[in-house]
Amino acid sequence: MRAKLTYAVTAAVLVFYFVLAGSRGVMLIQSGTLITVTFGIAVLILPVIGIWFLWKNTQFVRNANKLAAELDAEGGLPVDELRRTAGGRIDRDSADEVFAKRKAETEDAPDDWRNWFRLAVAYHDARDTPRARKAMQRAIALHDGRPVRA
């Protein structure tokens, strides 16, 4: 719940910033000189890119949560079998062991979105966020029946 609240607050702040920057861009364009119009257009591009990024990220999170709920209903969510340090952090060797197991499962059945979901969790636990995101994107694509890029 805390992650959802943090995401919502961050998204709200970003939308506020996009509106503020967009209004400044419009004001620059309304000035009418070549330089201010050019800067105004440049300023308007930033909120457009930001809104697109926020939208894509929100879709990703919603789709990943949908897969997690479905996997939970099936009883297929990965069990937390990771050892932790005294401070509560995940032990790196433990994360590597679980990752190796998840990778082997995924290689055995590469068309099963469930395996890709569990592999994404293992990547995340191993602190490899870019690969975790790519694995989750693949799980979402497989679940939705969309073509998967190699």
Side-chain angles (χ1 to χ4, degrees):
M1 185 64 179
R2 184 176 181 186
K4 287 181 182 181
L5 181 62
T6 302
Y7 189 82
V9 169
T10 303
V13 169
L14 282 172
V15 168
F16 175 75
Y17 165 75
F18 298 151
V19 169
L20 187 64
S23 69
R24 297 299 185 247
V26 169
M27 287 172 42
L28 284 168
I29 290 171
Q30 289 173 341
S31 295
T33 67
L34 179 63
I35 291 176
T36 59
V37 169
T38 304
F39 279 141
I41 291 170
V43 167
L44 282 177
I45 289 172
L46 292 175
V48 169
I49 292 170
I51 287 170
W52 174 83
F53 179 77
L54 184 61
W55 174 252
K56 294 303 275 185
N57 205 33
T58 302
Q59 280 184 314
F60 173 77
V61 169
R62 291 179 72 196
N63 288 334
N65 285 339
K66 183 176 78 171
L67 263 57
E70 187 172 330
L71 202 55
D72 186 30
E74 295 174 359
L77 279 178
V79 178
D80 186 2
E81 52 191 304
L82 299 168
R83 292 184 304 275
R84 302 192 186 277
T85 64
R89 295 183 63 108
I90 295 172
D91 178 60
R92 184 77 171 169
D93 294 333
S94 176
D96 290 343
E97 290 170 18
V98 171
F99 172 77
K101 186 174 16 172
R102 299 291 181 237
K103 185 176 180 188
E105 290 171 358
T106 305
E107 288 171 350
D108 289 342
D111 293 331
D112 187 358
W113 67 266
R114 293 162 188 84
N115 290 333
W116 283 99
F117 183 95
R118 288 188 280 266
L119 181 63
V121 172
Y123 270 127
H124 182 267
D125 290 341
R127 298 187 192 116
D128 192 346
T129 305
R131 287 189 179 141
R133 189 172 183 89
K134 286 185 186 201
M136 188 61 72
Q137 287 169 339
R138 188 173 188 121
I140 292 167
L142 286 169
H143 179 268
D144 294 345
R146 290 186 278 125
V148 179
R149 290 183 252 152

